[in-house]
Structure formats: structure tokens, C-alpha cells
Amino acid sequence: MAEDEGLVSVDYEVSGKVQGVFFRKYTQGEAKRLGLVGYVQNTSHGTVQGQIQGPTARVRELQEWLRKIGSPQSRISRAEFSNEKKIKTLEHKEFQILK
């Protein structure tokens, strides 16, 4: 994996049984393990959404995790990704859980 591949920012929204199952906590843990920054939060309509920023290959790993794995008790029905763009610098300092 080339480290000079650049940084990307991607917004996401995950649907299914993703609230009340520690989905945000597990997402934060996985993002930190991959060295990514951004945030995750519950929405008022029962989904989880946020933003991921970091090296492209690592972001892809987290996208796959959000699409297929999630927290142990979660059931993911759909993961949507939008607003993907290349960025020069990270806009977040860490990966946070927002209330």
C-alpha cells in the first residue's frame, strides 16, 4: 500500500439495528485502530451517521466494516456513502462520538 495515495473524506449513514447496540463505540474503536479521524452520531430517525477522514485504503477498510460487520449486536441493512472528496489535511483531530 502506497502511503502517498492521499487523504479522503467520506460521509456515511448506516441503517438497520444500529442504535442501542454500542455501534458508535465499536465504530470509534475500529476507526482509531485504523488511524482514521472523524465522527459518528445517532440520528433522530434510527440510523447512525458521520464522517471518516484518512488515507484512502484505510477509509475503504472502515467502509467495508460499516457495510458488513458493525458491532456484535448490530444488524446492518444498508450503508450509504456520500460526498467523497480528496483533502489536503485532516479536518478532525481524532474520531469522536457525538451526542
Side-chain angles (χ1 to χ4, degrees):
M1 175 175 70
E3 285 303 314
D4 61 349
E5 64 192 2
L7 301 171
V8 293
S9 175
V10 182
D11 295 341
Y12 63 89
E13 184 167 13
V14 183
S15 307
K17 185 181 173 190
V18 293
Q19 288 191 9
V21 292
F22 299 102
F23 196 90
R24 293 176 300 164
K25 183 178 189 302
Y26 276 87
T27 301
Q28 181 188 45
E30 188 66 11
K32 286 185 169 180
R33 186 184 74 74
L34 291 167
L36 300 172
V37 299
Y39 66 90
V40 60
Q41 65 187 7
N42 285 337
T43 68
S44 59
H45 50 275
T47 64
V48 170
Q49 69 178 22
Q51 187 175 72
I52 316 164
Q53 294 184 347
T56 306
R58 299 273 184 183
V59 169
R60 294 287 176 261
E61 281 186 62
L62 188 59
Q63 285 179 301
E64 194 68 5
W65 186 90
L66 287 167
R67 201 177 278 124
K68 298 202 166 113
I69 301 170
S71 68
Q73 293 86 32
S74 68
R75 281 199 306 282
I76 299 163
S77 59
R78 191 169 75 235
E80 295 179 5
F81 302 96
S82 59
N83 301 324
E84 181 167 326
K85 60 185 190 275
K86 290 189 181 303
I87 53 173
K88 296 239 185 288
T89 57
L90 299 173
E91 297 160 1
H92 304 278
K93 288 186 173 24
E94 59 185 358
F95 198 94
Q96 295 182 297
I97 295 174
L98 302 181
K99 296 289 180 237

